[in-house]
Amino acid sequence: MKLLLDHHYSTLIARGLRQRGFDVVAANAVGLEIAPDEQVLEFAVNDGRALLTNDVPGFMRIRRTWQADGRTHYGLLFTSDSSWSRARNGIGPLIARLDEVLTKHPKDDHLQDQVLWL
């Protein structure tokens, strides 16, 4: 599974996962740091990527709209600040957890149209 990290995650997470052999990019590294949420998800879909985000309300709204319109995505992975710190000390544990998820779901469509809470 390929993964896009939403803009509020450190590019160090993407780098750490790439060092482990995964195809991961950060929104901040591909010009999406101030893009609207729907544009971020469209980029992910066009590039065959699941999306990791902390913006649950925004992306759940988009997900419902897309479902009603028959549009698909490659998966939404959600975190919250109470479950995963986005501070520097949370980077290592989040990389380890994402490694588990990416290893468990190697195919791009494994989480198609699904939501996974980390």
Side-chain angles (χ1 to χ4, degrees):
M1 175 171 58
K2 298 187 295 186
L3 186 63
L4 172 66
L5 308 182
D6 204 354
H7 68 89
H8 40 255
Y9 295 98
S10 170
T11 57
L12 295 174
I13 297 168
R15 185 181 318 148
L17 288 166
R18 283 194 304 272
Q19 289 172 346
R20 293 175 180 216
F22 298 107
D23 187 343
V24 179
V25 296
N28 296 341
V30 294
L32 295 170
E33 55 274 351
I34 60 170
D37 290 345
E38 189 153 3
Q39 185 178 343
V40 171
L41 188 55
E42 286 173 350
F43 177 92
V45 168
N46 291 337
D47 210 29
R49 297 180 183 280
L51 174 67
L52 174 71
T53 185
N54 190 275
D55 181 6
V56 176
F59 282 97
M60 285 303 286
R61 255 189 316 278
I62 294 168
R63 180 177 184 256
R64 284 189 298 273
T65 301
W66 280 31
Q67 277 182 317
D69 294 342
R71 295 180 70 182
T72 63
H73 57 81
Y74 288 94
L76 293 170
L77 286 68
F78 288 136
T79 65
S80 71
D81 289 337
S82 62
S83 64
W84 293 100
S85 171
R86 288 183 280 154
R88 192 173 267 292
N89 66 346
I91 290 174
L94 185 54
I95 289 173
R97 177 65 177 117
L98 289 169
D99 183 316
E100 292 173 9
V101 171
L102 294 168
T103 299
K104 183 177 179 180
H105 303 283
K107 296 188 180 191
D108 292 343
D109 64 351
H110 269 188
L111 294 178
Q112 186 168 336
D113 297 324
Q114 295 182 46
V115 169
L116 180 65
W117 279 92
L118 301 182

